[in-house]
Amino acid sequence: MGGVAAPPSLCAVTCAGARRAGEAGRAARALRGDGPGVAGGRPAVASALPRRVGPLSAAPAAAMAGEDCVRKRPSGSTTTYKSPENEEMQRRPDGDRSFQNSSNGRVDVDHVITRKMQLIAEAEQLKPVFMKEVDSHFTEFVNSLVAKSALLDSSSSASLFPASCSEKELHKAKALRAPPEHGKIFTARRSLLDELFEVSHIRTIYHMFIALLIVFILSTLLVDFIDEGRLVLGFDLLVYVFGKFPVVFCTWLCMFCATVIIPYSLFSQWAQGYCSSSHRVIYSLFYGTLFTLFQTVGLGIGPTYVAISYALPPASRFIVILEQVRLVMKAHSFVRENVPRVLSSVKEKSSSVPIPRISQYLYFLFAPTLIYRDNYPRNPMVRWGYVATKFAQVLGSLFYAYYIFVRLCIPQFRNSSQETFNLRGLVLCIFNSILPGVLILFLVFFAFLHCWLNAFAEMMRFADRMFYKDWWNSTSYANYYRTWNVVVHDWLYYYAYRDFLWFFGKKFKAAAMLSVFTVSAAVHEYVLSICFGFFYPVLFCLFMCFGMLFNFILNDRRKGPIWNVIMWTSLFLGQGVIICLYSQEWYARQYCPAENPAFLDYLKPRSWSCHVQM
């Protein structure tokens, strides 16, 4: 009409496609050799062809559908419809046309395979972009959801959260000081490694570490067999470092029973008498002083005195001192979380005093968290197979550490006192210690933060398993400190950082951060000093100097991959420094003991002056 071709009808387009499929089917039958006059079976290559090119198997049916469609066209129609398929066929060269122009059909099969490979390549190019977009939107959604949930929990009104909440309101919600019972939100979630190990690629990395352990074992057995002429299966180093275990168990039992009885009794008596007391300030100061004395003398000085006076080996001292620090932090959290509830009930003139049950406090002492709550999200059942697996992995990590020290550390540092202390030897020592230092770092993370905490969480049916985050992806030290050990970070954030700001004001955020770094560095150095038996503030200096410096330089604004490389490089060097200097000092004090040592002899590094002629 008017010289303008009418648009092709649906039937015309369908028929054109069907005709192409029919022609393809006839070419495929000709290729297979099972035309109209052929009977019997097909050759093997013919039976394989339809599997490689899927559309050919449906070609005869499509051809029949195309012939039916042609027969159904109106007889009086004189308009010629040019479908896109026909136009494309007209434009294509003779060598690239469909099966009817091919002599043997081989070109078309190769064309289909080539096109398929092109589509796969395009899909692979689009997949990273798609996954990045999905991950970005999902992360924003989860962060927004958590922020809204925190605002709902911390608000005293019953009004609903607006659906269109702005970013400014979300930021304000995060900055609000929530009541103690709403400080940290516990929710049921799995540990990150448990989720990652379901991916075969990540599980292969785990298998590689197991293979490395097997190599260490074989190396040790072969060297001992060559030197001794027999297999040496003794584990003298493990027996030594975990020696005097009865003393360790009795010390832990006394610490634990005292933590169960004394803080709970002091808090209960204070809470019951606070409402009726006429001198509440003096009354509170009295009980607060008693609790501080228990924390300082009972849990502070007592276990330290036992560890030193009984000359416990290093690993046994680690057990006692780490349990000491854990129980101190748990007792503080219990009192810190419940005292404001009692003060609030007295202010509201409530008839009942909110005192937790002893069973709730006892559960908290075993639960893998340092933040007290009356109730936690719980799993419905205990998977004892999972518990056994985690404890087996802890045991395997201990043997892994044993072979690392036997093969990589002891041979290097055993004779270090024969050489004078110089810069060249120090640099070589640091770089040779990077590999064992990094392996020990991974083992501490995997054995304690993943396996040990997950085993106790499973036994306690504790559902919140976020003991760490993806610290390995950190591009800043600020993020690394937040994600490496979430359990300790939560305690420092709520009871050191936020309480400091609440007491001194929000204008002193830098001072609050400095105080948190100082407390953390001092506790870490205290643990190492007691466990090794000497004071050598390497870790304290790394924390306070390089840790603070990198915390401001490598801050959260650093997002590129190069910053992750810088973070890992500095972490490797730091582990090398720690392993090198502490190992040198350990052997120097073994080979160069001080006669009648004074107090300053425990503070002066012995490795700087020890030189033994062997």
Side-chain angles (χ1 to χ4, degrees), residues 322-572:
L322 290 179
E323 279 297 290
Q324 172 199 50
V325 174
R326 183 182 73 93
L327 293 176
V328 167
M329 297 170 76
K330 280 183 174 283
H332 176 84
S333 176
F334 174 76
V335 173
R336 171 65 182 81
E337 296 289 343
N338 285 286
V339 165
R341 297 168 60 186
V342 175
L343 298 178
S344 178
S345 66
V346 171
K347 184 178 180 180
E348 297 172 358
K349 298 181 179 180
S350 176
S351 58
S352 60
V353 180
I355 300 177
R357 300 189 304 271
I358 185 65
S359 60
Q360 294 174 324
Y361 178 54
L362 193 62
Y363 179 89
F364 166 63
L365 291 180
F366 282 104
T369 179
L370 298 175
I371 307 295
Y372 175 80
R373 295 289 181 270
D374 288 339
N375 298 288
Y376 299 94
R378 307 281 290 274
N379 288 332
M381 58 179 295
V382 178
R383 299 171 295 170
W384 291 107
Y386 180 86
V387 175
T389 300
K390 293 306 169 187
F391 280 128
Q393 289 173 337
V394 172
L395 186 62
S397 299
L398 287 178
F399 282 99
Y400 210 139
Y402 164 79
Y403 283 107
I404 289 174
F405 280 106
V406 167
R407 301 307 306 164
L408 300 179
C409 293
I410 294 179
Q412 176 183 351
F413 297 107
R414 178 183 293 165
N415 301 324
S416 61
S417 297
Q418 299 180 24
E419 302 177 359
T420 57
F421 187 83
N422 56 76
L423 182 59
R424 180 181 180 276
L426 178 63
V427 172
L428 288 177
C429 175
I430 291 175
F431 280 93
N432 290 334
S433 302
I434 288 178
L435 177 59
V438 172
L439 290 177
I440 293 297
L441 175 71
F442 290 159
L443 287 175
V444 169
F445 161 72
F446 180 74
F448 179 71
L449 292 177
H450 179 69
C451 297
W452 185 265
L453 295 183
N454 269 292
F456 271 88
E458 188 67 29
M459 289 190 295
M460 304 296 294
R461 296 193 293 117
F462 187 82
D464 194 341
R465 309 290 176 87
M466 196 183 68
F467 309 126
Y468 53 88
K469 298 179 183 177
D470 57 336
W471 57 270
W472 48 87
N473 291 328
S474 298
T475 56
S476 66
Y477 265 85
N479 186 69
Y480 169 74
Y481 291 141
R482 289 193 298 265
T483 55
W484 159 257
N485 188 344
V486 175
V487 179
V488 174
H489 170 266
D490 288 339
W491 193 94
L492 290 174
Y493 175 74
Y494 288 108
Y495 304 139
Y497 180 77
R498 288 181 57 172
D499 284 353
F500 187 96
L501 294 180
W502 173 74
F503 191 80
F504 293 100
K506 294 184 178 180
K507 295 184 295 184
F508 297 94
K509 289 186 177 182
M513 184 179 298
L514 180 62
S515 66
V516 171
F517 266 91
T518 304
V519 170
S520 180
V523 172
H524 279 79
E525 191 58 46
Y526 160 76
V527 172
L528 292 182
S529 299
I530 299 300
C531 295
F532 291 150
F534 55 82
F535 177 73
Y536 196 21
V538 176
L539 189 61
F540 184 84
C541 294
L542 290 178
F543 253 97
M544 295 305 297
C545 298
F546 296 99
M548 283 291 295
L549 180 64
F550 287 152
N551 185 66
F552 289 103
I553 295 178
L554 300 180
N555 50 43
D556 289 331
R557 292 192 296 269
R558 315 297 186 183
K559 296 296 184 182
I562 185 62
W563 298 106
N564 182 253
V565 175
I566 294 175
M567 194 275 295
W568 273 109
T569 304
S570 58
L571 198 62
F572 286 173

Side-chain angles (χ1 to χ4, degrees), residues 1 18 31 35 47 59 63 84 130 138 198 206 234 282 322-323 337 360 366 374 464:
M1 187 189 299
L31 179 63
S47 62
F130 174 76
F138 182 75
E198 294 179 356
Y206 172 70
I282 299 177
L322 290 179
E323 279 297 290
E337 296 289 343
Q360 294 174 324
F366 282 104
D374 288 339
D464 194 341

Side-chain angles (χ1 to χ4, degrees), residues 25 73 82 139 235 241 306 316 368 383 421 463 473 486 499 614:
R73 290 180 60 185
K82 292 185 178 181
T139 302
F235 297 96
V241 297
V306 172
S316 298
R383 299 171 295 170
F421 187 83
N473 291 328
V486 175
D499 284 353
M614 302 295 288

Side-chain angles (χ1 to χ4, degrees), residues 16 19-20 81-91:
R19 283 197 301 274
R20 293 185 62 197
Y81 299 103
K82 292 185 178 181
S83 64
E85 290 85 352
N86 289 335
E87 293 178 355
E88 182 182 359
M89 291 287 295
Q90 298 279 339
R91 291 193 301 266

